[in-house]
Amino acid sequence: HFAGQTVYFEFDSAVVRTAQQGRCNAVADDLKAKPETKLMIDGHCDERGTEEYNRALGERRALAVREYLIKYGIAPERVFTRSYGEDRPADPGHSEDAWSKNRRAEFILLNPPK
């Protein structure tokens, strides 16, 4: 549902950059229009760094996006986070181009049971 709204991060950063805020705003606007839905934010990292460090960084990234959405007006109980660290790369390459695609937070819409 939110495939085009992935938020990308700078190396070793969990700051939602100004250039990425429009993606968060679009997701928040969608959530405001569908108050029965909830959201999972998956935090990801590139392969550099230890597994433990990357898991923590992925969590910080997911939490940074969650905090952004809360400040935008989304109720905290509607937004969940998890970190995959470096375990699920978007691009399996070993270059800066690949790494930049892997430093991300992805949105997963959680629809209520019918």
Side-chain angles (χ1 to χ4, degrees):
H1 185 82
F2 294 123
Q5 303 303 343
T6 300
V7 174
Y8 295 96
F9 292 87
E10 293 293 327
F11 175 70
D12 200 28
S13 173
V15 175
V16 178
R17 295 177 291 156
T18 303
Q20 299 294 305
Q21 291 176 357
R23 294 166 185 252
C24 295
N25 296 347
V27 170
D29 289 339
D30 193 69
L31 290 175
K32 285 181 178 181
K34 299 175 186 164
E36 71 283 358
T37 60
K38 295 182 180 182
L39 184 73
M40 177 67 72
I41 303 168
D42 291 343
H44 299 270
C45 298
D46 63 36
E47 64 190 18
R48 298 173 290 177
T50 65
E51 185 174 335
E52 181 179 288
Y53 181 83
N54 285 340
R55 183 95 48 216
L57 180 56
E59 182 65 17
R60 288 196 308 274
R61 287 175 173 165
L63 288 170
V65 172
R66 180 180 187 269
E67 288 303 312
Y68 184 93
L69 295 177
I70 290 168
K71 287 180 182 173
Y72 197 86
I74 303 304
E77 60 272 9
R78 293 180 63 198
V79 186
F80 304 92
T81 63
R82 64 185 167 195
S83 174
Y84 287 108
E86 62 191 69
D87 295 341
R88 293 187 177 186
D91 185 327
H94 306 286
S95 65
E96 182 54 45
D97 184 56
W99 294 330
S100 68
K101 294 174 188 165
N102 294 333
R103 297 187 303 259
R104 69 197 191 282
E106 295 179 322
F107 300 103
I108 291 92
L109 186 65
L110 303 174
N111 289 312
K114 296 185 180 194

